[in-house]
Amino acid sequence: MSKLSFKAFCIEKYADHKSIPSNEVYKLFEKKGVLAMLDRDYDVLHGFGFEYIVNDIDQFINGGQL
């Protein structure tokens, strides 16, 4: 999976998880630096299950840098 595909996957799954539109998730990810974090930590994160990734994203958004 490419980094771009991984980020798109994370946006869609996070949108489903939080029951919000994916375009709002994209804006949130961009504003909070999640897209850069997903790009930076791709090698580690892409091997984990989505539940783990969602928890990391929530922690990152809530101020807990990873």
Side-chain angles (χ1 to χ4, degrees):
M1 178 180 290
S2 71
K3 287 183 181 182
L4 180 59
S5 295
F6 176 68
K7 288 188 275 187
F9 172 79
C10 289
I11 289 168
E12 291 299 324
K13 292 298 183 180
Y14 196 81
D16 289 344
H17 175 72
K18 296 292 186 175
S19 299
I20 57 177
S22 57
N23 64 323
E24 289 183 25
V25 171
Y26 176 81
K27 290 175 188 175
L28 174 67
F29 280 17
E30 190 173 48
K31 178 181 176 184
K32 296 290 189 171
V34 176
L35 294 175
M37 181 272 291
L38 292 173
D39 195 44
R40 181 190 71 222
D41 297 341
Y42 168 79
D43 289 335
V44 174
L45 292 175
H46 84 279
F48 287 103
F50 193 71
E51 186 174 309
Y52 179 88
I53 296 169
V54 168
N55 289 333
D56 272 2
I57 291 170
D58 280 335
Q59 181 181 353
F60 188 86
I61 288 172
N62 292 319
Q65 296 290 325
L66 302 175

